[in-house]
Amino acid sequence: MDPGAETARGGRKPVEIHAAPLGRLFAFLVDALLLTGVVFAFSMALDATVGPAVSFRAEEGGAGNGFMIHRDRVMLAWILNVALGAGYFIGSWARRSGRDLPSTPGQRLLRIAVGRTGGSRPITLAQATARWLLLMGPVSLCALLGIVAPASRAPVALASLAWYLILLVTTLRSPAGRGLHDRFSGSIVTVRARRAGPGSSP
Amino acid sequence: MIVDSRSIPHGSRIEADLCIVGAGAAGISIARRFAGTSTRVVVLESGGEAFEATTQDLSRGENVGLPYFPLDTARLRWLGGTTNHWGGICRPMDPEDFESKAWIPNSGWPIAERDLESYYEPARVMCGVSSGDWGLETWRQRDRFKPLPVRGDRLDTRIAQIVSPEARSFRITHRAGIQAARNVVLQCHANVTEIETNSEGTLATLFHVATLDGNRYTVAARQGVLAAGGIENPRILLASNRQWHEGVGNRNDLVGRFFLEHPRFVGGVLVPFDRRLSVGLYDHHKVGAVRLLGYLGLKQATRDQEQLVDVQMSLHPTLAGSFQRSAESEDMKALHALVPALRQGHIHQLGGHLARVAEDLTSWQALLIPGAPLPAPFPEVVGKLMRSTPFEAQALIPDLMGDIAARGYAKKFGAPIESILLRTRINAVPNPDSRVTLGDDRDPLGIPRVRLDWRLTSLDRHSVRRSLEVLGSEVGRAGLGRVRVMLDDHDGPWPEDLAGGWHHMGTTRMADDPRWGVVDRNCRVHGIRNLYIAGSSVFPTAGSGTPTLTIVALALRLADHLKGLLA
């Protein structure tokens, strides 16, 4: 049973109009682009302070295609970037301000928001964390394994790809557009209600 | 219909109008020509409907001449014969291939191209060749690639067609036709161990058949055709030596002699002045649905003037660094194989291809900022890429992405060529000392295994060198580049990469005079009224084209001749 679908058909509770998958995907891409830009700027700042994560000087021992990875700096970058990403998404979804449901900048651009099922309340911090883990966890895990266990990258990348396909398929097949990440975290992505202007009908 | 000869009662004697030994390109072509007629046809095939190692082992033999492929890998013993794994390159013989040349010993056919002309069209259909057009002019207009722009009139560009892979095997394309024919019985696992003749040796009376599990029987037919290939045909004739110590049809000691191949090796290198010289015509490519391959050769007038045998030169460009890597990329092959594997439901292969592609793509991960939601390189990688030349940059990009980029670039602008290997293929001189004989070892059926003594002549060597020199001269005159000839004109060893084209020819050659050939112009064994030979073993010369189309054309011509006799 899909609780979101039930709510959408319900009579007493406020009707949630779930967001179309294409819009959600586009919003995610906007967020990912924004965040990648921030992460890139952050990496430049790290280069300047603790040194580059990759160097190309042959005398530093670069083999094969001539580059050398500084694992400690890469690890530091991973920790900071994951924290940055978590702050961006979890902070955006669990924010409580005003009457509107919270949303990331990309979602706001596409006029969609994330809320709890069965009502128009924002999701809790725990729900937002669960949602972020289910969405961004595999990418972050892949990146971590790429640093600590490069041999496991390919199978984990394949498993991640499979996971994202599952999310896509479950989202598309759900009447309320709730993929597994929504169901496990008890969230739903809805279209933001337009504010009633002066003279508009109630 | 197709039956298993292991189930035929031991000691049986089967009567037929026509007995065909071998179900390869030649045997199947004849059998299909008779399908639906009132002629009772028996086809004896050594193998089954799938590859069997024990049957294939019957082809094992000894090489005592020039280095050659292990004989059990040079032909296939099962339904469809060697069409089960051939390259599919087809071109009919040119009219001059049939002519005798004073400076080429033992050259010339007793028939002319016009005798085969009408059979090339049905042969083309039998072989699954897309178009009946072999002229350069037609393709010049339709092909996006153009012939090498050499001036003068000494060089020729010739066009061959390539049968699509799914249409190559006669087992796949003609099995249903054989199965449906009520008058044709194809007996699998039937090995001919001996051809018995009457006491005068003028009539083939019995084909002795044995299976590897010990069954034995005979086939008596009004007419018989040996169509077992250029090595097996002489082997069967020579091994039929119980009545005639020299074997059947071998009164003039010609069976097994004149073994011909299309010797191939890299004879030279062309270094182009322009790294974007267009040589796409000389590589496998498609024009519409037709697969084409061009190659170079000297025009007949030049060959006649220089007294050379024909040497075909195929062009194999070595591309600049990363482009060559892209052309040979295993990752790209894996990527290309994904969709077919998915379509055909080969899940285990799909997993392998996916893993390879994923492994390659994730190799790029080391240079990406970890934890970024989109793949973004570290700032210093971006800086390095911006400062690098395209070749240096490509070393940083993972193979697959680099390969895709290189292929895209090559498609749009052409891949830069470092050099072009010139692989030469000789229409070799017929040489009586190049021969198939019987060895000392015997196979499990008791038949002596073959011994192959492959030889070439000094005229073959001289023709390669001189042809490359002429090419170099023409290419130089046209300002296209320089040719380095890698073969000297002395009688030293042949290049290490010398190989054949898996074309076995000449061992039961055709000649009107029994002193010079095993079969006559109708492919009948001299001196035997009802025994014929089909296949490239009857070719007196190797020809400039590939043999399959001519094998089938000759087989169809023989079938029509036999129809007249059996009517």
Side-chain angles (χ1 to χ4, degrees):
Chain A
M1 177 63 73
D2 188 336
E6 191 177 72
T7 309
R9 287 194 299 268
R12 287 189 298 166
K13 289 175 182 172
V15 174
E16 293 163 350
I17 305 170
H18 69 267
L22 201 61
R24 290 171 64 176
L25 191 66
F26 193 71
F28 180 75
L29 280 177
V30 172
D31 286 324
L33 268 173
L34 273 173
L35 191 56
T36 302
V38 174
V39 160
F40 191 82
F42 219 70
S43 291
M44 290 176 76
L46 271 179
D47 277 6
T49 51
V50 299
V54 181
S55 56
F56 293 96
R57 286 197 298 274
E59 60 270 24
E60 288 188 20
N65 49 5
F67 62 85
M68 193 168 124
I69 307 289
H70 302 278
R71 234 172 70 151
D72 49 346
R73 295 174 200 165
V74 175
M75 190 58 128
L76 178 66
W78 180 80
I79 293 167
L80 292 173
N81 293 337
V82 169
L84 202 66
Y88 180 93
F89 282 106
I90 298 171
S92 296
W93 290 331
R95 183 175 51 85
R96 282 175 164 71
S97 67
R99 289 186 307 160
D100 290 341
L101 285 176
S103 51
T104 62
Q107 289 172 329
R108 196 164 303 138
L109 190 71
L110 272 291
R111 302 193 59 79
I112 57 181
V114 178
R116 267 191 248 185
T117 53
S120 51
R121 286 181 299 157
I123 55 176
T124 65
L125 188 64
Q127 283 177 300
T129 306
R131 195 168 199 278
W132 175 78
L133 277 173
L134 292 165
L135 261 180
M136 300 304 295
V139 172
S140 305
L141 182 66
C142 268
L144 176 65
L145 287 171
I147 303 165
V148 299
S152 64
R153 281 186 305 210
V156 173
L158 279 176
S160 301
L161 182 69
W163 172 247
Y164 286 114
L165 281 175
I166 290 169
L167 292 191
L168 183 69
V169 170
T170 51
T171 303
L172 290 174
R173 289 177 63 92
S174 160
R178 299 182 70 228
L180 282 188
H181 57 304
D182 288 314
R183 296 187 206 178
F184 288 144
S185 63
S187 63
I188 186 166
V189 183
T190 60
V191 174
R192 258 171 189 277
R194 286 182 184 278
R195 290 237 170 83
S200 63
S201 52
Chain B
M1 79 185 85
I2 298 173
V3 301
D4 192 327
S5 62
R6 292 173 296 195
S7 62
I8 292 172
H10 188 89
S12 303
R13 177 189 160 107
I14 294 167
E15 304 277 344
D17 296 317
L18 174 64
C19 176
I20 302 168
V21 180
I28 286 180
S29 299
I30 297 171
R32 291 234 40 204
R33 199 74 162 179
F34 276 94
T37 66
S38 59
T39 305
R40 296 166 302 153
V41 180
V42 167
V43 185
L44 303 171
E45 167 53 44
S46 169
E49 294 201 54
F51 178 86
E52 294 159 12
T54 47
T55 304
Q56 187 60 31
D57 180 69
L58 297 173
S59 292
R60 194 151 50 80
E62 188 185 359
N63 282 310
V64 297
L66 287 168
Y68 197 66
F69 310 112
L71 295 181
D72 53 331
T73 67
R75 54 224 152 110
L76 283 179
R77 289 177 91 109
W78 52 301
L79 181 57
T82 310
T83 66
N84 283 303
H85 74 174
W86 68 307
I89 300 175
C90 283
R91 180 175 164 80
M93 296 236 186
D94 292 324
E96 58 262 34
D97 286 324
F98 296 86
E99 295 170 3
S100 174
K101 306 283 182 189
W103 63 91
I104 305 175
N106 306 299
S107 60
W109 293 49
I111 59 172
E113 197 261 352
R114 63 178 174 278
D115 295 312
L116 272 188
E117 199 176 8
S118 61
Y119 292 98
Y120 271 125
E121 179 56 20
R124 178 186 73 76
V125 176
M126 284 288 296
C127 292
V129 177
S130 302
S131 166
D133 210 328
W134 303 95
L136 174 65
E137 285 314 309
T138 312
W139 298 110
R140 191 201 292 269
Q141 288 160 19
R142 295 176 55 193
D143 204 326
R144 65 187 187 281
F145 298 118
K146 301 300 169 203
L148 214 56
V150 286
R151 301 189 194 100
D153 55 359
R154 296 201 288 173
L155 282 178
D156 242 352
T157 287
R158 304 166 195 169
I159 296 293
Q161 291 186 49
I162 305 164
V163 181
S164 64
E166 61 274 12
R168 283 180 198 165
S169 166
F170 274 46
R171 173 181 53 86
I172 293 168
T173 52
H174 297 292
R175 185 191 181 283
I178 296 285
Q179 179 75 295
R182 291 187 173 185
N183 64 315
V184 177
V185 180
L186 193 153
Q187 301 175 0
C188 289
H189 301 112
N191 300 284
V192 172
T193 56
E194 183 189 354
I195 298 171
E196 191 176 324
T197 66
N198 62 358
S199 56
E200 294 81 30
T202 54
L203 207 62
T205 50
L206 282 178
F207 291 87
H208 289 258
V209 180
T211 66
L212 278 171
D213 69 349
N215 194 16
R216 287 183 182 256
Y217 60 94
T218 54
V219 177
R222 289 166 62 199
Q223 304 290 344
V225 177
L226 264 185
I231 291 178
E232 207 62 21
N233 282 348
R235 183 189 181 198
I236 293 171
L237 291 174
L238 292 171
S240 300
N241 54 7
R242 196 167 47 87
Q243 296 167 281
W244 313 96
H245 70 91
E246 73 278 10
V248 168
N250 195 27
R251 284 183 183 156
N252 292 301
D253 187 25
L254 289 173
V255 172
R257 289 191 182 273
F258 296 97
F259 173 81
L260 285 166
E261 247 286 7
H262 277 129
R264 301 187 301 177
F265 54 86
V266 175
V269 179
L270 163 60
V271 181
F273 294 146
D274 179 359
R275 280 156 59 102
R276 287 192 163 69
L277 180 68
S278 172
V279 291
L281 179 73
Y282 304 94
D283 198 357
H284 289 217
H285 65 288
K286 283 173 96 171
V287 177
V290 183
R291 294 162 191 260
L292 295 180
L293 174 67
Y295 52 91
L296 289 166
L298 301 193
K299 286 194 171 171
Q300 189 192 357
T302 311
R303 273 183 275 137
D304 289 354
Q305 190 185 350
E306 299 257 356
Q307 301 203 338
L308 305 173
V309 295
D310 187 39
V311 174
Q312 301 106 52
M313 294 166 279
S314 56
L315 276 54
H316 302 266
T318 304
L319 305 178
S322 51
F323 291 94
Q324 183 66 25
R325 189 191 71 187
S326 165
E328 297 166 350
S329 164
E330 290 298 322
D331 292 330
M332 286 294 280
K333 285 179 195 161
L335 189 66
H336 281 299
L338 278 177
V339 174
L342 195 61
R343 266 195 207 144
Q344 292 160 14
H346 297 158
I347 300 301
H348 60 293
Q349 290 177 7
L350 182 72
H353 297 317
L354 263 179
R356 182 167 189 113
V357 170
E359 174 66 39
D360 186 17
L361 285 177
T362 52
S363 68
W364 173 241
Q365 200 181 3
L367 298 175
L368 299 183
I369 302 173
L374 294 177
F378 281 111
E380 51 272 33
V381 176
V382 175
K384 172 75 178 170
L385 284 172
M386 288 171 70
R387 290 192 302 273
S388 301
T389 64
F391 291 145
E392 289 169 339
Q394 197 146 18
L396 295 172
I397 299 172
D399 288 353
L400 189 59
M401 288 163 66
D403 292 341
I404 292 169
R407 286 209 181 181
Y409 181 90
K411 202 167 183 181
K412 185 88 179 160
F413 305 108
I417 295 169
E418 287 285 350
S419 59
I420 300 167
L421 297 179
L422 300 166
R423 181 163 290 138
T424 50
R425 197 182 71 176
I426 314 170
N427 177 1
V429 177
N431 177 2
D433 296 329
S434 177
R435 64 187 299 198
V436 171
T437 53
L438 299 180
D440 300 325
D441 290 347
R442 287 177 183 268
D443 69 16
L445 297 169
I447 314 298
R449 292 190 185 276
V450 287
R451 179 182 287 147
L452 174 62
D453 185 356
W454 180 33
R455 299 191 193 188
L456 296 171
T457 65
S458 53
L459 178 56
D460 294 318
R461 190 184 191 93
H462 172 67
S463 298
V464 172
R465 179 164 178 89
R466 191 61 201 129
S467 297
L468 287 166
E469 283 173 353
V470 171
L471 172 67
S473 156
E474 292 299 321
V475 161
R477 274 209 300 163
L480 299 177
R482 293 199 180 281
V483 168
R484 182 181 161 218
V485 181
M486 288 152 55
L487 185 76
D488 60 41
D489 219 347
H490 310 299
D491 279 339
W494 286 85
E496 283 184 9
D497 62 334
L498 170 72
W502 294 277
H503 303 157
H504 307 148
M505 300 167 280
T507 48
T508 61
R509 69 198 315 257
M510 182 194 290
D512 280 337
D513 187 335
R515 290 173 302 167
W516 297 109
V518 176
V519 299
D520 67 13
R521 60 175 56 219
N522 291 318
C523 300
R524 186 177 64 84
V525 176
H526 283 297
I528 303 177
R529 292 200 301 273
N530 65 342
L531 184 61
Y532 292 78
I533 297 183
S536 51
S537 65
V538 304
F539 290 14
T541 59
S544 56
T546 45
T548 307
L549 206 58
T550 302
I551 289 173
V552 174
L554 269 172
L556 296 176
R557 177 174 171 269
L558 171 57
D560 283 359
H561 176 75
L562 290 168
K563 271 185 178 177
L565 294 175
L566 290 165

